[in-house]
Amino acid sequence: IAGKIRERYNKPVIVFADGEGCLKGSGRSIESYNMFEKLTQCKALLMKFGGHPMAAGISLDKENIDEFRWQLNHNQNLTKEQLTPVTWIDVPMPLGYAGFPLIEQLKLLEPFGKGNEKPVFADKNLRVRQASIIGKNRNVLKMVLEDANAYSYDAIMFRADSMNVPKREQNIVYYPSINEFNGKKTIQFVVTEWK
């Protein structure tokens, strides 16, 4: 839960739930906020805690929650710029450049994860020609994007809803992938962000 809230609002988050005789918390942070350091400043209020700059686990007596919240908020020094999400891309690349050979070469870099992040690409001024919400949970946006030369591209965006469907030209952050359905392989762009 903390991670999803952090992703949505780009702010450090600690979520608590009732535990055995105390509150149990899980925290997720942003690059500019060292969560472990800030928790260390409040350690007198905590039963126990552990973690690192980007995440933490906490046990807290219920009667200390208001003072804990006040101290964390009072001692933070985040600026508006630090709370503004920044997207880093590896290469600005038109969708038309991403063919099967490039996607196969990118697979050689796998597995992706911490320390080996998936490359991030971007393209601009794309029009959404078709869009529909699909999936069991109705949270996948399936699209056909069109570039300035009227070429069309299949794209998909996860964790979406009808509010995510753009109404004008968009700049996108994406990763190219291969979709295989009924034995047929097609290129599909996984959109992670609109601008």
Side-chain angles (χ1 to χ4, degrees), residues 27-29 33-37 39 50-57 114:
R28 297 295 179 271
S29 195
Y33 184 84
N34 185 326
M35 182 167 280
F36 185 77
E37 181 181 286
L39 290 175
H52 52 80
M54 295 297 291
K114 192 156 181 72

Side-chain angles (χ1 to χ4, degrees), residues 4-182:
K4 288 182 179 181
I5 295 171
R6 188 260 335 262
E7 281 180 27
R8 179 169 218 131
Y9 297 104
N10 195 56
K11 293 182 179 176
V13 174
I14 300 174
V15 175
F16 286 97
D18 284 325
E20 292 181 25
C22 67
L23 295 173
K24 298 282 188 175
S26 177
R28 297 295 179 271
S29 195
I30 58 176
E31 290 291 333
S32 52
Y33 184 84
N34 185 326
M35 182 167 280
F36 185 77
E37 181 181 286
K38 296 299 181 182
L39 290 175
T40 301
Q41 294 172 1
C42 303
K43 67 181 177 182
L45 296 171
L46 305 175
M47 296 169 72
K48 63 181 179 176
F49 72 100
H52 52 80
M54 295 297 291
I58 305 157
S59 294
L60 173 73
D61 193 314
K62 288 181 184 182
E63 66 188 36
N64 290 336
I65 187 73
D66 291 332
E67 178 65 18
F68 175 70
R69 181 184 297 119
W70 184 87
Q71 283 191 23
L72 279 181
N73 288 326
H74 182 73
N75 293 327
Q76 67 85 20
N77 54 357
L78 292 166
T79 65
K80 184 177 179 181
E81 289 77 26
Q82 290 172 318
L83 292 171
T84 302
V86 175
T87 300
W88 298 95
I89 63 166
D90 294 296
V91 179
M93 184 172 68
L95 296 181
Y97 287 19
F100 285 104
L102 173 66
I103 296 170
E104 291 299 329
Q105 288 176 350
L106 290 172
K107 286 183 180 181
L108 299 174
L109 302 174
E110 294 176 354
F112 297 119
K114 192 156 181 72
N116 186 34
E117 303 297 326
K118 185 181 280 191
V120 179
F121 304 97
D123 196 1
K124 60 184 180 178
N125 302 325
L126 298 165
R127 188 171 72 87
V128 179
R129 213 174 75 200
Q130 295 175 12
S132 58
I133 299 292
I134 62 170
K136 184 175 86 172
N137 297 323
R138 309 286 298 153
N139 62 350
V140 178
L141 178 61
K142 187 171 177 57
M143 301 165 281
V144 175
L145 302 176
E146 185 176 87
D147 66 16
N149 298 314
Y151 289 109
S152 296
Y153 306 93
D154 292 332
I156 197 160
M157 183 177 197
F158 297 100
R159 293 184 305 224
D161 58 41
S162 59
M163 301 297 290
N164 289 105
V165 180
K167 306 294 186 226
R168 54 184 169 75
E169 284 190 348
Q170 295 290 313
N171 300 330
I172 65 167
V173 176
Y174 72 90
Y175 186 80
S177 67
I178 296 174
N179 182 36
E180 188 167 355
F181 185 71
N182 287 338

